[in-house]
Amino acid sequence: MPIVAPSLLAANFLKLQEECQMLNDSEAEYFHLDVMDGVFVPNISYGLPVIEQIRTATKKICDVHLMIVQPERYAEAFKKAGADILTVHYEACPHLHRNIQQIKSLGMQAGVSLNPHTPVDLLKDVLDDIDMVLIMSVNPGFGGQSFILHTIEKIRQLRRLIDERALNTKIEVDGGITLENAASVVRAGADVLVAGSTVFKSKDPKETIRQLKHIA
Ligand code: DX5
Ligand code: ZN
């Protein structure tokens, strides 16, 4: 069964406490928190003060997805704000190995995210050091986009790399996940499903989370 990680980017920010409570009562294990800087991606979302407050509203795992340049400048601040998992983008980190060590030394789990055009092979030399790979199945920056089909092949390739080395590295897939495509994503080897619009725009978000959890 996959871990379900609803993305609060699609939540109603005027009702954030109720949205957090709904997630607390649901089968979701992670709160997926998308941070965008308007530089690495063409959009700005929310940042540290919002995450600090969300932290006080849940005991679940705060899975922070940084779509920002120079994440090393903020890693410690995100730890203080309550991040359990901190994911940086391969494409934003010329010194990725150093970024990973920094995140782990701060006591967080380290994730690395790949844009749709970035091959999974490029992670070969850091795979043993990380806790999670986040495969983007849309171009990062916005919720509500369509799933890029080629992602399925990337998930399979990464699953093979991880299994060959008998690692516990999790595969998280983010962008355009629906009740229709989630099963094929899990069958390809995903461990964690991020879902924004599918959860928060549905009539019964808690039931949608339950369906994602029991999808395959
Ligand atoms: C996109 C973000 C995603 C986004 C997913 O850049 O990383 O987490 O919120 O939203 P949906 O599920 O609507 O594609
Ligand atoms: Zn995300």
Side-chain angles (χ1 to χ4, degrees):
M1 267 192 293
I3 288 171
V4 181
S7 162
L8 280 101
L9 195 60
N12 181 343
F13 293 125
L14 289 177
K15 296 185 177 169
L16 209 43
Q17 190 157 23
E18 284 167 45
E19 301 282 46
C20 290
Q21 198 48 53
M22 178 278 290
L23 294 182
N24 285 338
D25 296 340
S26 78
E27 291 184 52
E29 278 111 318
Y30 293 0
F31 278 40
H32 185 82
L33 303 168
D34 289 299
V35 178
M36 305 178 185
D37 67 355
V39 178
F40 179 66
V41 288
N43 195 11
I44 297 175
S45 57
Y46 52 79
L48 291 159
V50 173
I51 293 178
E52 248 170 56
Q53 297 207 358
I54 290 174
R55 176 74 284 172
T56 67
T58 189
K59 293 194 169 64
K60 295 198 182 190
I61 291 171
C62 286
D63 166 31
V64 176
H65 176 192
L66 294 184
M67 286 161 273
I68 68 173
V69 297
Q70 298 183 304
E72 62 279 359
R73 295 172 63 199
Y74 301 101
E76 195 176 344
F78 280 105
K79 168 67 186 176
K80 286 197 181 124
D84 299 298
I85 307 173
L86 198 65
T87 297
V88 296
H89 263 265
Y90 177 88
E91 301 82 5
C93 297
H95 303 290
L96 183 62
H97 184 271
R98 184 182 292 152
N99 292 97
I100 293 164
Q101 300 312 319
Q102 182 197 22
I103 293 168
K104 294 204 300 191
S105 71
L106 287 165
M108 294 178 285
Q109 292 185 45
V112 176
S113 182
L114 300 178
N115 276 342
H117 73 278
T118 306
V120 296
D121 277 7
L122 292 174
L123 290 182
K124 269 187 181 164
D125 294 304
V126 290
L127 202 53
D128 295 51
D129 297 318
I130 60 184
D131 300 288
M132 187 162 86
V133 178
L134 193 175
I135 297 189
M136 286 306 302
S137 38
V138 299
N139 285 293
F142 303 93
Q145 304 180 78
S146 309
F147 186 87
I148 297 170
L149 211 52
H150 175 65
T151 310
I152 296 290
E153 183 50 34
K154 288 177 73 176
I155 301 168
R156 285 198 196 108
Q157 290 169 3
L158 181 60
R159 182 83 267 160
R160 239 175 278 138
L161 282 176
I162 290 170
D163 289 351
E164 271 167 20
R165 300 191 201 174
L167 298 172
N168 289 322
T169 319
K170 286 191 171 68
I171 303 178
E172 179 173 53
V173 180
D174 183 6
I177 300 280
T178 63
L179 288 169
E180 287 70 43
N181 63 25
S184 59
V185 171
V186 173
R187 266 188 252 116
D191 302 295
V192 186
L193 298 174
V194 176
S197 317
T198 292
V199 167
F200 287 98
K201 308 294 179 210
S202 79
K203 280 218 174 72
D204 186 346
K206 222 189 297 174
E207 169 59 16
T208 303
I209 291 168
R210 194 195 65 76
Q211 288 179 21
L212 285 168
K213 179 81 194 165
H214 298 272
I215 202 97

